[in-house]
Amino acid sequence: LAFEVKGLPAAALGGIGLIYIKFNPRQTVSWKKLLNIPAIMVSAFIALFWFVAMYRIHGAVYLDSFFEDQVGMRVSSKAVQIAGNLILGTVLMFALYVPWFLFGFKNMKKNWREVKSENMAFTGFVIVWVLSIILMSGLVSKFYERYLLPIIPFASVWLAWWLIKGGIFEQKSGKKTAIFILQALNLILIIAALFLNIRLGAPTLVFVGLGFGILIWVYLIRLCWREIKSVEAISYSILLLFYLGSFVTYQISLPDQGDQVSEFILENNIPKGSRIAFIGHLHTGSKIRIGLGKDYKMIDVVQSYDEKKLEDFSFFIVEDKHIESFINNHYQIETITVNWDPKILAEMIQGILVNNVSEVLKQQGRKYYWVTHKNQKNVE
């Protein structure tokens, strides 16, 4: 199942896990137990079903895209970039567990002896697993923090085990400070979310959800004031950061390009079955492809495209940084999506304050364009 979703990296990680389980000296597992035939058969069917389906739909050419995505453009050969990715991955791994790992410094030697004596096999597996994922993440051409997600389950269990050995539930020093900092961060998010959504006119449902988050925040303040359930309060405060953060990003990221394109397609009665060339960021292309649905065939065209290739398409969706190639007498261009660019957050806030948001978004936002041949009608 992991291979179906994440491809070759998941196969590599799965292989590392199986090798460790089989050959670690602390707790070996027999081949008979490891190679469970029913489980292998079910897993193989699930993992390979997607590849068989894609072969029947697209033919062998889809393997080129798969290989390019998994190995070609993903893998970096630059030493400086790899070193930077490794440093970033390591820093982010610790950042994922703030403030928990800070509580683990107390009685480090004693805790290490205890966890080592209880279950060194699991400790060793966590170390191998974390290092493997960080190393694999370091080799990519562009680092994404989501690459570290497989670390979280095992490392979280191990860290919780470590903290309990260190008496986290009995500790008082540091917990008040952690809770105060987290609650202050949540308050900042509440203020930012209220500011953005009130000024930009969010729907009622957004304020209902935000109000629910504020109630949780008040409840956590009460727990802190009474000095009860301190560890739980820290956990809830961390989770609340992500919940409240979604109300801040709501105005920046939604509606996404897929929703905007879908609305444009319906309003302009674009014929179903049309072939659409996409020239832009592949992740944005995935959102747009989902928005288009199965009635339209959108093909990613590489940036170094051939003009003859474009003749095979009725319509084009083009990212703003590639639109220069289409500004001539042969094409008709209109804006199809506009989204905020995080780089212009300061300009966005300034636009909100002076009530000039639409103009700032129009001038500096991220745009995708709908491009057609001038001798072609948009509407049938």
Side-chain angles (χ1 to χ4, degrees):
L1 182 60
F3 183 63
E4 179 197 19
V5 176
K6 293 305 296 179
L8 296 177
L13 288 173
I16 290 169
L18 291 173
I19 290 170
Y20 181 88
I21 291 171
K22 175 59 188 171
F23 295 107
N24 86 87
R26 297 282 180 169
Q27 187 177 332
T28 57
V29 177
S30 66
W31 284 113
K32 183 179 180 180
K33 185 175 182 180
L34 190 62
L35 300 179
N36 185 288
I37 299 302
I40 291 174
M41 295 295 291
V42 173
S43 300
F45 174 79
I46 294 172
L48 297 176
F49 175 82
W50 183 88
F51 292 89
V52 174
M54 291 299 101
Y55 180 81
R56 287 183 60 86
I57 295 171
H58 301 292
V61 68
Y62 89 94
L63 285 172
D64 295 333
S65 298
F66 176 79
F67 184 80
E68 179 67 16
D69 178 66
Q70 298 293 309
V71 179
M73 66 179 183
R74 292 283 184 182
V75 179
S76 175
S77 58
K78 301 176 182 177
V80 175
Q81 186 178 47
I82 292 173
N85 289 341
L86 290 174
I87 293 171
L88 180 59
T90 303
V91 171
L92 280 176
M93 187 199 71
F94 285 104
L96 286 170
Y97 293 101
V98 172
W100 298 117
F101 79 89
L102 298 175
F103 293 109
F105 289 125
K106 187 176 181 180
N107 301 324
M108 284 186 65
K109 290 184 178 180
K110 173 180 172 291
N111 296 346
W112 172 252
R113 285 195 298 268
E114 291 194 21
V115 298
K116 182 179 177 181
S117 63
E118 281 190 13
N119 194 338
M120 187 56 196
F122 177 63
T123 297
F125 177 75
V126 172
I127 294 171
V128 170
W129 187 253
V130 170
L131 290 177
S132 298
I133 292 173
I134 290 178
L135 288 172
M136 290 180 65
S137 300
L139 296 174
V140 298
S141 56
K142 184 173 175 58
F143 183 89
Y144 292 100
E145 56 273 11
R146 68 174 182 270
Y147 293 159
L148 300 181
L149 289 178
I151 287 177
I152 292 176
F154 292 114
S156 297
V157 171
W158 187 89
L159 182 58
W161 179 28
W162 175 280
L163 292 174
I164 289 171
K165 288 296 178 185
I168 181 68
F169 289 101
E170 289 75 38
Q171 288 184 30
K172 288 187 178 181
S173 60
K175 285 194 289 187
K176 283 186 178 180
T177 303
I179 293 171
F180 174 79
I181 293 172
L182 291 169
Q183 296 299 64
L185 290 173
N186 277 309
L187 178 59
I188 292 171
L189 290 176
I190 289 171
I191 294 170
L194 286 171
F195 173 74
L196 288 172
N197 288 292
I198 290 173
R199 295 289 292 182
L200 296 177
T204 304
L205 191 60
V206 169
F207 291 104
V208 172
L210 185 54
F212 179 68
I214 293 172
L215 288 176
I216 296 175
W217 180 76
V218 172
Y219 168 71
L220 294 176
I221 290 290
R222 183 170 174 268
L223 289 183
C224 300
W225 187 264
R226 296 175 61 188
E227 297 185 4
I228 59 174
K229 297 184 178 179
S230 298
V231 174
E232 291 89 338
I234 293 175
S235 300
Y236 301 151
S237 298
I238 294 171
L239 293 174
L240 188 60
L241 287 171
F242 294 94
Y243 179 76
L244 293 174
S246 67
F247 294 99
V248 176
T249 60
Y250 172 83
Q251 291 290 351
I252 299 174
S253 58
L254 296 175
D256 69 14
Q257 294 90 344
D259 289 335
Q260 293 181 53
V261 170
S262 176
E263 184 178 346
F264 178 90
I265 292 291
L266 290 174
E267 289 179 354
N268 290 273
N269 297 317
I270 304 302
K272 291 183 178 181
S274 296
R275 284 170 54 83
I276 302 171
F278 177 79
I279 304 172
H281 197 285
L282 294 179
H283 289 176
T284 305
S286 297
K287 296 178 184 179
I288 294 175
R289 187 173 284 106
I290 292 170
L292 289 171
K294 62 182 181 180
D295 294 327
Y296 299 89
K297 189 174 181 67
M298 191 180 86
I299 307 297
D300 295 321
V301 178
V302 294
Q303 297 172 12
S304 57
Y305 52 81
D306 187 342
E307 283 288 338
K308 290 185 177 180
K309 285 184 179 180
L310 301 184
E311 296 175 0
D312 298 332
F313 295 94
S314 305
F315 308 101
F316 312 89
I317 297 175
V318 184
E319 190 176 3
D320 48 13
K321 64 182 179 181
H322 303 299
I323 198 62
E324 290 290 336
S325 303
F326 293 86
I327 301 177
N328 56 46
N329 295 327
H330 302 296
Y331 297 103
Q332 180 175 324
I333 302 170
E334 58 185 307
T335 304
I336 188 173
T337 78
V338 183
N339 285 84
W340 285 106
D341 187 338
K343 295 177 182 177
I344 62 166
L345 185 59
E347 289 85 346
M348 176 187 178
I349 295 172
Q350 180 66 23
I352 293 173
L353 292 172
V354 300
N355 198 24
N356 191 30
V357 174
S358 58
E359 190 64 28
V360 174
L361 182 60
K362 183 179 178 181
Q363 290 180 0
Q364 301 188 52
R366 287 179 174 176
K367 300 181 184 69
Y368 277 82
Y369 296 94
W370 182 257
V371 181
T372 59
H373 299 282
K374 278 200 172 178
N375 58 357
Q376 175 182 324
K377 291 183 178 179
N378 245 11
V379 182
E380 288 193 354

